[in-house]
Amino acid sequence: MATAHDSLEPPQRLVRTLSEDPAYGDAAHLWLAALPDLARECLARWDLTPERVQAPGGRTSMVVLARRSDGTPVALKLCLPDGSAALEHAALAHWDGRSAVRALDVAPEAGALLLERLHADVSLRSLAEAKAQLEAAATLQRLWVAPPEEHAFPDVAGHTAALAEALRAHREQPWAADVRAVLDEALEVRDALVAEPPAGEGAMLLHGEYHQGNVLAADRSPWLAVAPRPLVGERAYDLAWLVRDRLDTLLASPGAAAAARRRVAKLAESLDVDPGRLRGWTLFRTAREGAHQLALGARGQGELLLEFAGLL
């Protein structure tokens, strides 16, 4: 049973993310240093016995697998002190277990969530690609519901405005010279999508960071979504990350460009989403992430993402 101080140390993936990205700043570094003590305080708060820290874990949070005093397995999630825990809890409460992990309690001042325990080491990525995409699409479709009448969720337009501003700054850097055409198209497409929302589609509560790795095996349902970064907006935005799932495999296959277009068409048809809008949001989100990775010095990942964006 985990009791030693180092058993509550943050995983290396989290440490690397917060250390390598200057956008997180001093507050994130202070939070990282205080995580073991914060974890102990939350474990005591909910009378939990820790088992282990989930690894490799997330890039902006730490999850401690634990048990309640009655033996019930739970997961303690500690989020960056940026308000994300409160937003995640609000989304999970609204879904109330429908295709998503259940939130059992929240301590927003500590950035802590107490969640039902899923099978943390088994995601949709354990399935063959075709089966995984089918399960992912079905799970996502059930998450798309109208948001609460009064809510604090950011909308897609505002969220992507900040991303677009950062992307415009990236395109001016010398290293962006070879990919500037892709970045410019991504910015133009994003502006057009925001300027003309999809006709006849109301704004939905979106997961915001939906991909196969964020859908875990569970006992009360075969698959449940975790780790939302909730937004309100159009469904095509939420579906975009599924288009680029297992990107390295797709790019290594013959006819990668045609395969990418088929994936867009198939996902759009299966969830009744406009394929042009899905292609546009996939292009913007992929190009933005690729430029961000290049800016951090992660050249391999950045080039892979931007290569894919160029195929769309």
Side-chain angles (χ1 to χ4, degrees), residues 154-220:
D155 63 21
V156 166
H159 175 69
T160 58
L163 298 181
E165 182 179 354
L167 187 54
R168 289 188 181 95
H170 288 327
R171 75 170 297 282
E172 300 301 325
Q173 298 302 312
W175 50 258
D178 292 339
V179 294
R180 198 160 285 143
V182 173
L183 303 187
D184 286 344
E185 184 185 2
L187 288 165
E188 291 170 5
V189 165
R190 179 262 164 197
D191 289 347
L193 289 168
V194 170
E196 189 174 347
E201 180 180 322
M204 295 288 168
L205 176 59
L206 308 179
H207 183 283
E209 199 70 21
Y210 192 82
H211 54 76
Q212 292 176 18
N214 274 345
V215 186
L216 302 182
D219 291 327
R220 65 177 175 84

Side-chain angles (χ1 to χ4, degrees), residues 10 43 64 91 105 116 126-128 173 178 189 209 248 265 293 296:
L43 289 165
V64 182
D105 210 338
E116 70 173 312
S126 64
L127 300 180
Q173 298 302 312
D178 292 339
V189 165
E209 199 70 21
D248 50 350
Q293 291 299 321
L296 295 177

